[in-house]
Each structure stands twice: as structure tokens, then as C-alpha cells.
Amino acid sequence: MGSVLGIGSQPTLCKSPACSKYHERVRTQGEQLQQLQAELDKLHKEVSSVRTANSERVAKLVFQRLNEDFVRKPDYALSSVGASIDLEKTSRDYEDANSAYFWNHFSFWNYARPPTVILEPDVFPGNCWAFEGDQGQVVIRLPGRVQLTDITLQHPPPSVAHSGGAKSAPRSFQVYGLQVDDETEVFLGKFTFDVEKSEIQTFHLQNDPPTAFPKVKIQILSNWGHPHFTCLYRVRAHGMRSSEEAGDSATGGPN
């Protein structure tokens, strides 16, 4: 009869070459699995970190974009509230012999946009008023007399602006309030629109003592390098609308 293992006896280990190779292969594969698991854990942490960072970045950009356009000031340079363009005092539109080709080449309208486009809230690449060169002006007829406090300019960021990119954006500009005689101009400040900052920038005017004006002039002194034209997308005029009596008194008109 075969022998029986008693309590405490140790099983006989396989010591053949085949058994040794098997155990070595199992040990090696076990180490490889552990290494692979460690790499997977590391990759999982990196992916989670990237997702968190991207989520925070996207959320930040969304809130930043919402806050940028939330000026929190009434706009008296909107056509919907009665603002209009004084064409006689405004620079001529940019004209080019190949204007149709020019606009189509950049996937724009096949016709030039009038200056009234700057009084509309629809701002998207190509929907701008262009005037020739880097110097020009636009005079906005306000819906009544307004004690101007701020001016806001808007231009799409370089990443999405097609009309010459950032180069066609206004750079240095001055603001004037026009008196009721339509000739006297009151200097309200000189400013710089920085294309590296927000696409919507508000500038505080030097209107002291507060004076109500029926018109405001934006005089562009330079752009960001475009050799042929400058584009204005949107202009906003902020302040407090005066009654006719208050406007007459503030601007020196008849009582």
C-alpha cells in the first residue's frame, strides 16, 4: 500500500525543469500585471486631473464670457431705442474695386455694411462698418439728450475676427459730446482699445460737470496695423437721459 501523509507532513514539491519554467513564467506574468495595474492607476489619475482642469477652464471661460457682455449699463446708442447715425458728420464707407471678391474671400457679406450696424447688438465676424484707412469718425445721434458717463467698444477677439483680424480693430480714439448747436464739441477723453484684453471694453468719460448731449462723436486715431481699413463692430453710449428742460439747461440752450 502507498504511504499516507501524516499530520504536519509537507507535500512533495515538483522539481522538474518543466515545473521550474512554469513557476518562473507565473512569477514574471504576476510582476507584469502589477506593473500594468500601477500604470493604469497612474493614467486614471492623470485623466481625472485633465478632466477636472478642463471642466474648470470651460466653466471659467463661460462665466467670463457672460460677465464680459454683462455691462450693466443702459445703452443709448441702440437703434431700437431711437439712436441713429449722422451721415453728414461720419466718415465714408470703405470702398474697394474688388469689394465683392474681398468680402467673399473672407466668407463675409458680398456688400459693405453701413455704419448703422454699430448700433445693433448682433456682433459676429464680418458684421462691421469699415472706413478707409486708420483714421475716421462716426457721429451718433442719441435718442434725446444724455449725460454721458461711459463709452463701450466691442470687437471680436483675434481668434475669430476675419476682417483683418485684430489689425482692423480701432486702437487709439477720442470721444466728443456735440452741443445743441451741432458745431460745438466738448472733449470727453482719449482712450486705447486693447485687442489683447476683453472683446468688450468700457471707458469712463471725463464729463465733469455732467453735461447732456444730443450727439456723441467717436474719432478713431489709429488701428492695430491694417493698411487699408478699420472696422467698427459695436459702440455703446452710457449715461443718464435728461428731460428737455434739463437738457436745455445743461447744454446752455433756451429755458
Side-chain angles (χ1 to χ4, degrees):
M1 295 180 63
S3 61
V4 178
L5 291 175
I7 298 176
S9 300
Q10 297 295 327
T12 303
L13 298 177
C14 177
K15 296 182 179 180
S16 66
C19 287
S20 298
K21 290 182 179 180
Y22 171 78
H23 288 298
E24 179 64 22
R25 188 163 59 250
V26 170
R27 185 186 65 80
T28 301
Q29 290 179 349
E31 292 176 351
Q32 291 175 346
L33 286 174
Q34 290 178 352
Q35 183 178 1
L36 179 60
Q37 184 62 50
E39 292 177 354
L40 287 174
D41 292 341
K42 181 180 179 181
L43 180 61
H44 177 72
K45 291 180 180 179
E46 291 177 350
V47 170
S48 298
S49 177
V50 170
R51 285 178 177 174
T52 301
N54 283 341
S55 297
E56 293 175 352
R57 183 175 62 86
V58 170
K60 182 178 180 180
L61 289 175
V62 170
F63 283 111
Q64 179 182 359
R65 183 65 183 87
L66 291 174
N67 290 332
E68 283 177 343
D69 200 33
F70 204 57
V71 179
R72 296 176 180 266
K73 297 177 184 293
D75 180 13
Y76 292 101
L78 273 174
S79 60
S80 60
V81 300
S84 59
I85 300 295
D86 186 337
L87 295 176
E88 293 184 356
K89 295 180 178 295
T90 296
S91 299
R92 296 182 59 183
D93 301 348
Y94 172 71
E95 296 181 359
D96 185 84
N98 299 316
S99 59
Y101 166 77
F102 171 80
W103 291 110
N104 284 326
H105 179 69
F106 288 99
S107 300
F108 289 157
W109 308 98
N110 59 1
Y111 56 93
R113 305 294 288 156
T116 52
V117 73
I118 70 172
L119 308 179
E120 303 294 338
D122 299 326
V123 176
F124 53 87
N127 193 39
C128 65
W129 169 59
F131 60 84
E132 187 172 0
D134 61 352
Q135 295 185 352
Q137 67 180 43
V138 60
V139 174
I140 301 173
R141 187 181 295 109
L142 303 171
R145 298 173 189 173
V146 179
Q147 292 183 7
L148 296 170
T149 58
D150 305 272
I151 285 290
T152 296
L153 296 189
Q154 182 173 356
H155 192 282
S159 58
V160 299
H162 296 168
S163 52
K167 292 183 178 181
S168 68
R171 186 170 185 170
S172 178
F173 68 98
Q174 296 179 157
V175 181
Y176 295 87
L178 272 65
Q179 297 278 24
V180 291
D181 60 8
D182 210 29
E183 295 295 335
T184 305
E185 298 182 349
V186 178
F187 178 73
L188 299 178
K190 181 178 180 180
F191 311 97
T192 298
F193 183 88
D194 190 346
V195 293
E196 297 298 328
K197 295 183 178 180
S198 168
E199 65 180 271
I200 302 174
Q201 299 175 35
T202 299
F203 306 89
H204 186 65
L205 301 176
Q206 305 165 15
N207 189 8
D208 188 24
T211 304
F213 301 99
K215 296 181 181 180
V216 60
K217 181 174 83 171
I218 312 297
Q219 183 179 33
I220 308 300
L221 304 177
S222 64
N223 63 22
W224 283 89
H226 201 288
H228 302 302
F229 61 87
T230 302
C231 277
L232 281 182
Y233 275 83
R234 187 179 178 188
V235 175
R236 310 185 201 187
H238 312 295
M240 182 175 63
R241 186 170 180 174
S242 300
S243 64
E244 290 299 320
E245 292 76 12
D248 288 337
S249 176
T251 55
N255 293 320

